[in-house]
Amino acid sequence: MSNNGELRAERAYVDALYEKLETERSGAAAMLARSAKGADTLLERDAAIDFWSKSLSRLNIADNGLCFGRLDHESGERVYVGRVGLFDDDGDGEALLIDWRAPVARPFYCATAVNPLGMARRRRFRTLGRRLVDFTDDLAAAHGENAGDAALLAAVNAPRGAGMRDIVATIQAEQDEIIRLDHDGVVVIEGGPGTGKTVVALHRVAYLLYTRRERLARRGVLVVGPHPGFLDHIARVLPSLGETDVVFATVGDLVPGLCAEAEEDPEVQRAKGALAMLDVLAKAVADRQELPPDPIPVALSDVPVELDAELAGAARERARATGLPHNEACEVFRREVAHGLAERAVDQIGEGWLEAGDTQMRAELLADVLEELGEGSELDAEIDRLWPRLTPGQLLADLFGSVARLASAGGDPVLFRADGDAWTVSDVPLLDEAVELLGVDRSAERLAELRRQAVAEYAAGVMDVLNTDAMDDDDETLRAIDLIDAGELSERHVERDHRELAERAAGDREWTYGHVVVDEAQELSEMDWRVLMRRCPSRSFTIVGDLAQRRSAAGATAWGPMLSPYTGDRWASRALTVNYRTPAEIMTVAGAVLGEFAPDVRPPESVRACGVLPWARRVSGRNLAGAFVDFDRDEGGREGTFAVIGPEGMAGVLTPAATKGLEFDAVLIVEPDRILAKGPRGASELYVALTRATQRLGVLHAAPLPSVLAGLKAGRRVPDSFLRCV
């Protein structure tokens, strides 16, 4: 505990930091306001506005918990550690507060009494808003490491709120090692439930943006999670660390304009997620490049000609040989068909009088026929039937909605569905792959370029008029060109995209990100990984997963097969072994379930016990609703969060899948036997459900309790201890 004199001194220092923060914030706001007036061009203005807006955002996040500790070096040097860096404007710009991501701040998280890293003392602050309430010291021989443990336990025992909190004040050594890991490529963070994988990954993003901002900030960060509720849960962590250029998405969101949430049956998931779908899709596209079963007559003014399978086949081979996507190669096919028909027409027209060596006359006749073919819509309609322009949705809807098309493309019969465009999460990577096969629609870009050219030509014309009017015999006449050139004038008329980076990136399929975070990555299929690798050509990834929690039939059983096709062996794996969420009493029960379906996996070791045993109670079906009401009433009056988790199809409960990545102070699991009925997938889902609680766990069951949960304490009603946690 702190003494009063030192506490007053530390409070004065923290108060001074907040005064400095306000000064910095006021200065950034003033510069933002002046940016529009001081820039010479719109480009410079936009750059200045962007810079000062982001500077202001980073300063605005520091109000709560600006400074959370102090390091005293053995040399006598003293540094304060906090959310942002603050520097004295006087003299040499001495650091008043060190950003937690700076190298000199690392001992705050990694130093121990055994290995103090040159530190004599680590002081941890406990704050409430802007007020320093207390502090504790450790590292010194007289203190040991209990103070650091106390700060951690206070954080993990605190009631949960509406979303995930950052952990900058309580990062542990094994977490800090991963956050600061110097690896440019793919980093896999493995760990069981409650080990902090997600929050460590998000803090790693903040660290990378701090150390490599110039390279990463221009492209932003993509965070992929398992479901929208999870994304809502984690959404405030990075903004609380001052980072806002982040796109949050599920796999179902990765194709702009589509938000797929429905899941397939396991056998369909497995088929759609396998790389074998690449051959199916390629064959499905090739099948749409048809040959006419019967010759198609094409009427010309001089002679009739026919488009038959031989001519169309030769045109198709030439179009395919270009390697262009289907929709782009259509123009090649169209051109080759027209040229073939023209050659046949000229042969008929010139029969008997056109000499073989008369190339000029033949060329003139060909040009006339091609012009006539280009004027008619009849040939266009026939070509559209043989080589139709397709959208990704049309290609897949036609494929999945037709037994014949599936069979022709070599697709698994389980892929058939009556409603071909009833999109699911498993369809999203296939739709994205279809874009690659069909080609990107560039019509909007071409239209925008035409508009830019028109504006530039208009601006040049205006400048010519202004400069002509200003010209006379007086060489000192000030002309328009002396003040502004045509480029600057046209720039003022160009419509600019003023959306934030995250909004622009989310709406652009071809946007490539500086870094990608993938959470619950064990659920992603081989086809899912193709989408994500396209989104980040630099292969800068932080991947979070626990293979024991895999529920998707198409998901990963090992990381190598998923990553090696893109990275070889150039990926690093790190493990988190300590469970900060789940108390030992609950983890004992969850560990028994884990042992049933993954006996080789060791559950993470809980950092704490809460003194409350999880319980089970058998109820009849008609009493189940009343038990829900009791639980809701009892927990609703307490601080924190709670959830009821049950099998799919049960009203008023969350499914285990919908709670992945989430945590609650109290959890009530209903009908665990129905969750387990899904086989290995069900056992994984029950394991997920059991490890969501941070304090209290109860189980209600109408059927006999599964033997794997036999260790639960029985109770006729919700025990009082369930409502109280030491």
Side-chain angles (χ1 to χ4, degrees), residues 83-322:
R83 290 184 177 275
V84 297
L86 295 175
F87 297 87
D88 189 351
D89 292 334
D90 300 329
D92 58 358
E94 178 186 356
L96 304 175
L97 183 67
I98 296 296
D99 191 299
W100 66 274
R101 296 167 289 190
V104 294
R106 186 168 192 175
F108 189 82
Y109 303 108
C110 299
T112 66
V114 175
N115 184 20
L117 301 178
M119 300 298 119
R121 175 180 11 228
R122 172 174 48 213
R123 176 163 289 179
R124 299 179 187 272
F125 292 166
R126 185 164 65 88
T127 59
L128 184 61
R130 289 190 167 203
R131 179 172 174 77
L132 174 59
V133 176
D134 200 357
F135 66 77
T136 54
D137 291 338
D138 63 16
L139 291 184
H143 297 289
E145 294 187 87
N146 293 331
D149 295 341
L152 173 64
L153 291 175
V156 298
N157 276 316
R160 272 26 180 196
M164 180 179 285
R165 298 166 295 190
D166 66 59
I167 59 169
V168 289
T170 57
I171 294 171
Q172 300 302 292
E174 71 168 2
Q175 297 173 329
D176 187 78
E177 178 189 353
I178 297 172
I179 290 170
R180 300 175 191 265
L181 184 63
D182 185 16
H183 185 82
D184 287 334
V186 175
V187 174
V188 178
I189 306 176
E190 296 185 87
T195 53
K197 302 183 297 295
T198 299
V199 75
V200 167
L202 296 176
H203 283 67
R204 175 167 172 77
V205 169
Y207 174 76
L208 292 175
L209 285 168
Y210 177 81
T211 57
R212 307 172 189 176
R213 185 169 300 279
E214 184 65 26
R215 178 163 64 89
L216 298 183
R218 292 193 304 272
R219 305 306 305 171
V221 173
L222 172 65
V223 177
V224 179
H227 54 81
F230 171 83
L231 298 178
D232 290 341
H233 180 63
I234 68 171
R236 69 179 185 182
V237 174
L238 281 169
S240 77
L241 299 174
E243 306 301 342
T244 57
D245 291 336
V246 182
V247 173
F248 294 92
T250 66
V251 171
D253 301 327
L254 291 179
V255 172
L258 179 65
C259 182
E261 296 184 10
E263 290 189 347
E264 307 272 18
D265 291 334
E267 62 270 23
V268 181
Q269 278 186 346
R270 189 178 296 109
K272 288 186 176 180
L275 289 180
M277 281 301 300
L278 294 174
D279 292 333
V280 174
L281 294 177
K283 187 66 166 62
V285 172
D287 283 348
R288 305 304 293 268
Q289 300 162 358
E290 301 178 7
L291 301 180
D294 300 305
I296 300 170
V298 178
L300 294 171
S301 58
D302 293 325
V303 294
V305 290
E306 290 184 336
L307 172 55
D308 55 22
E310 179 185 2
L311 190 154
R316 184 173 70 175
E317 291 307 310
R318 293 190 185 97
R320 287 177 174 177
T322 64

Side-chain angles (χ1 to χ4, degrees), residues 530-549:
R530 283 181 63 85
V531 180
L532 292 175
M533 292 297 172
R534 274 196 285 269
R535 300 297 190 272
C536 188
S538 66
R539 305 292 189 258
S540 180
F541 280 77
T542 298
I543 295 171
V544 177
D546 179 9
L547 297 175
Q549 294 187 60

Side-chain angles (χ1 to χ4, degrees), residues 423-445:
W423 305 123
T424 68
V425 174
S426 299
D427 291 326
V428 171
L430 307 184
L431 289 165
D432 193 75
E433 197 69 40
V435 176
E436 298 294 306
L437 294 170
L438 299 176
V440 178
D441 183 1
R442 303 288 184 189
S443 58
E445 294 178 18

Side-chain angles (χ1 to χ4, degrees), residues 332-364:
V332 179
F333 178 72
R334 184 183 302 273
R335 184 173 65 246
E336 292 295 332
V337 166
H339 190 79
L341 291 172
E343 289 281 3
R344 288 184 175 183
V346 170
D347 286 344
Q348 293 183 55
I349 294 170
E351 186 176 0
W353 64 270
L354 183 62
E355 299 292 337
D358 195 349
T359 57
Q360 181 176 352
M361 176 59 70
R362 185 174 184 84
E364 291 175 359

Side-chain angles (χ1 to χ4, degrees), residues 342-489:
E343 289 281 3
R344 288 184 175 183
V346 170
D347 286 344
Q348 293 183 55
I349 294 170
E351 186 176 0
W353 64 270
L354 183 62
E355 299 292 337
D358 195 349
T359 57
Q360 181 176 352
M361 176 59 70
R362 185 174 184 84
E364 291 175 359
L365 290 173
L366 279 173
D368 290 341
V369 175
L370 286 171
E371 183 178 0
E372 183 178 354
L373 288 171
E375 293 173 352
S377 60
E378 181 181 344
L379 179 60
D380 289 341
E382 295 298 341
I383 289 177
D384 286 342
R385 281 192 286 273
L386 296 176
W387 193 301
R389 292 185 177 276
L390 299 168
T391 65
Q394 182 183 358
L395 175 71
L396 291 188
D398 291 348
L399 176 66
F400 296 147
S402 168
V403 173
R405 287 191 187 280
L406 272 173
S408 178
D412 193 314
V414 300
L415 299 180
F416 172 78
R417 63 188 180 210
D419 188 356
D421 59 358
W423 305 123
T424 68
V425 174
S426 299
D427 291 326
V428 171
L430 307 184
L431 289 165
D432 193 75
E433 197 69 40
V435 176
E436 298 294 306
L437 294 170
L438 299 176
V440 178
D441 183 1
R442 303 288 184 189
S443 58
E445 294 178 18
R446 288 193 291 268
L447 180 59
E449 180 59 30
L450 289 174
R451 286 175 177 170
R452 281 193 292 269
Q453 291 176 4
V455 168
E457 291 172 3
Y458 170 77
V462 170
M463 294 301 298
D464 286 343
V465 171
L466 292 174
N467 291 326
T468 300
D469 291 344
M471 291 179 64
D472 56 25
D473 294 336
D474 187 357
D475 292 337
E476 296 183 0
T477 299
L478 188 64
R479 297 176 298 163
I481 199 171
D482 296 322
L483 301 175
I484 186 172
D485 61 25
E488 291 176 292
L489 180 61

